[in-house]
Amino acid sequence: MQADLFPHRHLLGIEGLQPQDILGLLDRAEAAVEVSRQVEKKKSVLSGRTQINLFFEASTRTQSSFELAGKRLGADVMNMAVSSSSVKKGETLIDTAATLNAMHPDLLVVRHHAAGAVHLLARKVDCSVVNAGDGPHEHPTQALLDALTIRRHKGKIARLTVAICGDIVHSRVARSNIILLNALGARVRVIAPSTLLPSGIEKMGVEVFRDMREGLKGVDIVMMLRLQRERMSGSFIPSVREYYRYYGLDAEKLSFAREDALVMHPGPMNRGVEIDPAVADGPQSLIREQVEMGVAVRMAVLEALAAHLPNQ
Amino acid sequence: MASDSPKPLVLSNARVIDPARDLDAPGSVIIADGTILAAGPEAANQGAPYGAEIIDCAGAIAAPGLIDMCVSVGEPGAEHRETLASASDAAAAGGVTTICTMPETDPVIDDPALVDFILRRARDTASVNVHPIAALTKGLEGQEMTEIGLLQEAGAIAFSNGHKSVRNAQTMRRILTYARDFDALIVHHTEDPDLAGGSMNAGLNASWKGLSGIPREAEVIMIERDLRLVGMAKGKYHANLISTSDSAEAIRIGKDRGLNVTAGVSINHLTQNENDIGPYRTFFKMSPPLRNEDDRKAMIAALADGTIDILVSNHDPQDVETKRHPWAEAEDGAIGLETLLAAALRLYHSGDIELLPLLACMTCRPADRLGLETGRLTTGAPADVVVFDPDRPWVLEKSAIRSRSKNSPFEDARFSGRVLHTIVAGRPVYTYA
């Protein structure tokens, strides 16, 4: 394994990571891919360690991915789903953190519906904290697994042109990817209707397009985002069918990208809303591979943070 | 104790500043029977009244005690956050001798009996002057106007919908029209509630943080609407907390049109900007939100040129239960009574504004707007006085905060300018140890 130490106790976001930190995690993840493809998948790096997956927001793929990653490294993994109703009973996030902290976990994987919630929690516990998505803020392991997937296919990240399409304003995936791809020297475009772009987007290190065909011209990677209707208070788009007409990725729109362009989606997909099933399951799609890389990247992250755990 | 009149008091060897008279000169302040007998250079030559206590100010400034016309207190309903007693302790330590309390309590101050309750509790427990601001609409719901006449008779000094704007323009128009018959001052929070649905200033900073933004336009749209309504109704109107250059411009135009309009700003918007929020620090979450540096500078300029009339702390005690949440879910509000003067002096030390106009915004200007006799050192005025050393350094330590709630955005901040004595109605209520 890589000897170089990951210089952070928590992984709260891509923001604040140096390019070498990111590359170090990707290299580690490459090795984890190999481990995951063996018959004997179990390692003992985290043996005796307790990992708690604390999910304030429902998730299938991210939670199971973190669970598998922890187990493959030998950790005892506990999943805690905290429904928002029990939070409403009066227990604050801090109370929950204090309760968990008293149980001496070593790693805490947290997803929460509010931006900044994971930062708040990280300040109140003694263990290492991994952000598994905080509101529309960041989702660092998703950006890392996207980068790993891209690198394995294109051999590099630098100087690739990546278009992130769809519901940018509500997307933590978009924010983490914009930061990571810029850090590694890619050119980033965003394509979305103006109501789904955050204010100041033109200063966020991206080229902005409102027209999908225009925006897809010559790109190497097309990253689709899920239309997050559950986060939308009020009217952002008039209807799903109008959205699909202008921003849904189908073969015709995809033909504007480079011939060897690859299609990604963080999942879960809304087929027929932001992506045509034929494209989602077509030859240019990396969507299933992203899931595989997800486990590897999370193993890499947990392993990197484990180096900071006491008594090591 | 409260009935016997205080001993006469002489503040000698002071630099007397009385913004109401444009006075800034060495001299004394002579106090007897709870009122100012004389203040200024002429008072230095007058003899002390018989039995007077003499405080040697050693060159420190003696000025009218500050009036803070936007203070939230937890009494009634949230005494664990702040009582009238603890708020007045904090006020006294900050040189504030008069507070106007906001009606956002539980229950809301929308009934004359509740105004009476505040006044009686203040008389019995508070060491500074307390004037309740009553609710503008019943339950602060923005629907039905309150009994403006009866509330005023009970002692309400002004009327406000707290930190919520009245959304319905017709309701606001009627209230302004009706209030005119009572010469009542309407103190309004100016944020379009639909546009202001976010949790911090809209812009790049909010976008990176993944927070929904409150656009600057949310404020000026409400102010411009209100100014049109004030024009129709000929009411008496105060925009309580403005935060953007556009808002200041709108107020300026309103004043030029001859409307009976004033504006206020919180000390936070003069001394902090949205970058201070850092990693989601909720003590910096307030309404209106902290804006960018350009707006902060515009607020200082507007205060210096008189567009903004009144400077307040917007003191709003919040505790762990309401503040230790993820940003968007935490309550708005920051305490500020104890630091109002010290933080304001930063603007003087930075050369942004002269001492006299700075103090005017916290003394005679709010007094004139509210119709109070205090806020000046003229003969016969109530003896509400602050003595402070504008240069003495100190650090705000959390453990020393007098408010029951500790949600200060100035925790561990360094200040130059320390209150030495606070006197209310001729009685010392605070002395720096």
Side-chain angles (χ1 to χ4, degrees):
Chain A
M1 276 285 88
Q2 286 70 20
D4 44 338
L5 197 67
F6 184 68
H8 305 275
R9 188 159 78 96
H10 307 298
L11 180 68
L12 301 180
I14 299 296
E15 193 190 3
L17 297 188
Q18 295 298 314
Q20 65 265 26
D21 302 338
I22 297 168
L23 292 170
L25 288 173
L26 295 183
D27 293 343
R28 244 184 231 273
E30 290 281 2
V33 173
E34 298 314 311
V35 172
S36 292
R37 286 181 177 175
Q38 292 163 10
V39 178
E40 172 57 55
K41 298 181 176 64
K42 196 118 175 171
K43 294 178 66 185
S44 57
V45 189
L46 294 183
S47 128
R49 298 295 185 185
T50 306
Q51 172 189 334
I52 299 181
N53 296 338
L54 180 61
F55 278 63
F56 291 88
E57 207 180 51
S59 148
T60 315
R61 96 180 44 208
T62 306
Q63 184 171 331
S64 52
S65 179
F66 268 110
E67 183 178 356
L68 263 183
K71 285 181 170 165
R72 284 184 184 167
L73 294 174
D76 296 314
V77 184
M78 186 179 103
N79 288 316
M80 270 188 72
V82 188
S83 68
S84 49
S85 65
S86 72
V87 176
K88 289 217 170 75
K89 275 178 201 153
E91 193 174 56
T92 64
L93 179 64
I94 298 302
D95 293 332
T96 311
T99 307
L100 288 177
N101 198 42
M103 300 178 193
H104 301 292
D106 300 291
L107 292 151
L108 202 53
V109 178
V110 186
R111 169 168 288 189
H112 196 280
H113 52 83
V118 183
H119 291 69
L120 178 64
L121 206 135
R123 284 203 293 272
K124 306 291 173 188
V125 296
D126 304 316
C127 60
S128 284
V129 175
V130 182
N131 183 356
D134 63 326
H137 178 224
E138 279 229 47
H139 190 357
T141 56
Q142 179 70 42
L144 288 164
L145 77 88
D146 289 341
L148 181 65
T149 312
I150 295 170
R151 198 175 73 166
R152 284 171 66 91
H153 282 265
K154 297 288 184 189
K156 60 172 186 183
I157 306 276
R159 290 183 303 285
L160 291 178
T161 303
V162 181
I164 307 176
C165 313
D167 189 356
I168 309 287
V169 70
H170 297 106
S171 177
R172 51 192 172 219
V173 176
R175 282 175 183 74
S176 289
N177 263 312
I178 289 170
I179 302 169
L180 186 149
L181 292 167
N182 271 303
L184 296 189
R187 284 188 289 266
V188 185
R189 297 179 181 178
V190 295
I191 308 172
S194 295
T195 46
L196 293 180
L197 289 168
S199 79
I201 182 70
E202 59 289 339
K203 291 180 196 152
M204 294 174 85
V206 298
E207 239 188 303
V208 183
F209 292 85
R210 271 86 182 180
D211 180 278
M212 198 150 182
R213 292 173 184 85
E214 193 69 30
L216 287 182
K217 266 182 203 158
V219 306
D220 300 285
I221 303 288
V222 186
M223 269 187 193
M224 299 307 298
L225 296 174
R226 190 168 64 84
L227 191 65
Q228 301 198 49
R229 279 174 288 182
E230 73 281 7
R231 281 194 206 283
M232 293 186 183
S233 49
S235 186
F236 285 80
I237 52 162
S239 72
V240 163
R241 68 178 185 184
E242 177 155 326
Y243 182 76
Y244 184 71
R245 168 75 69 90
Y246 297 110
Y247 297 97
L249 184 69
D250 55 20
E252 190 268 328
K253 294 195 194 89
L254 182 57
S255 71
F256 284 80
R258 280 174 62 105
E259 216 171 314
D260 60 351
L262 296 168
V263 176
M264 304 173 75
H265 192 298
M269 275 183 284
N270 301 311
R271 289 187 171 83
V273 176
E274 70 258 351
I275 193 162
D276 182 338
V279 172
D281 306 316
Q284 287 169 279
S285 169
L286 295 178
I287 296 170
R288 255 186 301 254
E289 188 174 332
Q290 283 174 274
V291 180
E292 184 190 353
M293 293 308 120
V295 179
V297 152
R298 283 154 191 145
M299 286 171 74
V301 167
L302 295 172
E303 193 182 59
L305 295 178
H308 291 274
L309 296 176
N311 313 320
Q312 186 85 357
Chain B
M1 165 83 198
S3 55
D4 39 346
S5 76
K7 236 178 9 174
L9 200 59
V10 175
L11 308 173
S12 67
N13 201 11
R15 174 181 166 194
V16 180
I17 298 188
D18 187 10
R21 285 185 284 160
D22 246 340
L23 174 77
D24 181 353
S28 302
V29 179
I30 304 174
I31 295 165
D33 297 324
T35 57
I36 305 283
L37 218 52
E42 72 279 5
N45 307 322
Q46 254 171 274
Y50 176 74
E53 184 188 340
I54 296 176
I55 295 174
D56 183 358
C57 295
I61 292 170
L66 308 187
I67 299 166
D68 188 344
M69 70 175 273
C70 184
V71 175
S72 297
V73 177
E75 193 168 346
E79 286 83 356
H80 61 290
R81 282 186 214 146
E82 194 87 290
T83 59
L84 286 162
S86 64
S88 73
D89 279 353
V96 176
T97 53
T98 300
I99 60 175
C100 300
T101 55
M102 297 302 276
E104 293 159 299
T105 46
D106 182 14
V108 165
I109 308 302
D110 58 2
D111 188 284
L114 292 163
V115 171
D116 189 54
F117 168 81
I118 300 277
L119 288 171
R120 276 184 295 113
R121 288 293 292 167
R123 180 197 64 203
D124 295 345
T125 66
S127 54
V128 302
N129 307 307
V130 175
H131 296 285
I133 295 177
L136 193 57
T137 60
K138 287 177 187 159
L140 299 176
E141 280 168 6
Q143 306 290 332
E144 293 172 69
M145 78 171 93
T146 49
E147 298 161 319
I148 288 176
L150 295 177
L151 288 162
Q152 197 178 50
E153 259 184 59
I157 193 144
F159 297 83
S160 166
N161 218 47
H163 292 77
K164 279 197 278 188
S165 303
V166 175
R167 185 188 303 232
N168 186 315
Q170 177 72 306
T171 305
M172 191 63 181
R173 176 193 169 192
R174 289 240 174 80
I175 293 171
L176 282 162
T177 307
Y178 186 83
R180 188 190 57 197
D181 295 344
F182 293 89
D183 196 30
L185 177 67
I186 305 300
V187 176
H188 201 216
H189 190 73
T190 48
E191 268 189 321
D192 180 281
D194 298 308
L195 274 176
S199 62
M200 75 170 281
N201 185 37
L204 190 58
N205 210 326
S207 292
W208 276 124
K209 286 186 152 66
L211 297 171
S212 54
I214 300 172
R216 304 166 69 256
E217 289 73 10
E219 187 173 291
V220 72
I221 285 171
M222 186 56 84
I223 289 175
E224 286 176 342
R225 180 203 81 170
D226 281 357
L227 293 180
R228 292 292 168 187
L229 297 176
V230 170
M232 286 167 82
K234 307 280 180 288
K236 190 168 163 187
Y237 177 88
H238 177 70
N240 194 21
L241 299 164
I242 73 170
S243 66
T244 75
S245 55
D246 294 341
S247 303
E249 184 59 30
I251 295 289
R252 202 171 286 138
I253 292 168
K255 287 182 170 178
D256 288 347
R257 269 195 248 131
L259 301 177
N260 188 349
V261 163
T262 48
V265 67
S266 94
I267 186 65
N268 300 310
H269 292 86
L270 296 172
T271 54
Q272 291 154 352
N273 66 31
E274 60 175 352
N275 296 323
D276 289 305
I277 291 165
Y280 302 94
R281 290 188 296 177
T282 57
F283 286 5
F284 293 85
K285 183 168 191 251
M286 51 194 77
S287 177
L290 290 174
R291 303 287 183 184
N292 63 27
E293 179 63 6
D294 289 345
D295 276 326
R296 187 188 75 88
K297 287 189 173 146
M299 290 300 93
I300 295 171
L303 190 76
D305 73 19
T307 303
I308 295 176
D309 308 87
I310 293 167
L311 172 53
V312 298
S313 70
N314 190 20
H315 181 84
D316 191 354
Q318 298 289 339
D319 59 12
V320 172
E321 286 294 310
T322 54
K323 274 294 187 188
R324 272 199 199 155
H325 290 286
W327 178 272
E329 292 163 16
E331 288 290 333
D332 291 320
I335 57 167
L337 276 169
E338 286 179 72
T339 47
L340 174 62
L341 178 60
L345 286 170
R346 284 183 173 180
L347 305 173
Y348 157 68
H349 290 299
S350 63
D352 286 310
I353 183 165
E354 299 290 325
L355 207 44
L356 213 68
L358 181 66
L359 290 172
C361 298
M362 297 181 281
T363 55
C364 57
R365 288 222 210 144
D368 291 345
R369 195 56 175 156
L370 296 164
L372 295 173
E373 291 180 328
T374 185
R376 68 206 78 229
L377 299 179
T378 44
T379 301
D384 299 335
V385 186
V386 57
V387 176
F388 66 96
D389 175 348
D391 298 311
R392 186 176 301 199
W394 64 289
V395 175
L396 182 74
E397 279 163 27
K398 189 174 174 182
S399 58
I401 292 176
R402 282 173 173 73
S403 275
R404 283 210 179 162
S405 295
K406 313 296 177 193
N407 56 311
S408 171
F410 292 107
E411 190 179 323
D412 296 327
R414 285 160 200 284
F415 293 112
S416 294
R418 176 78 233 180
V419 173
L420 304 177
H421 302 280
T422 305
I423 293 149
V424 175
R427 246 179 256 279
V429 293
Y430 172 81
T431 300
Y432 180 56

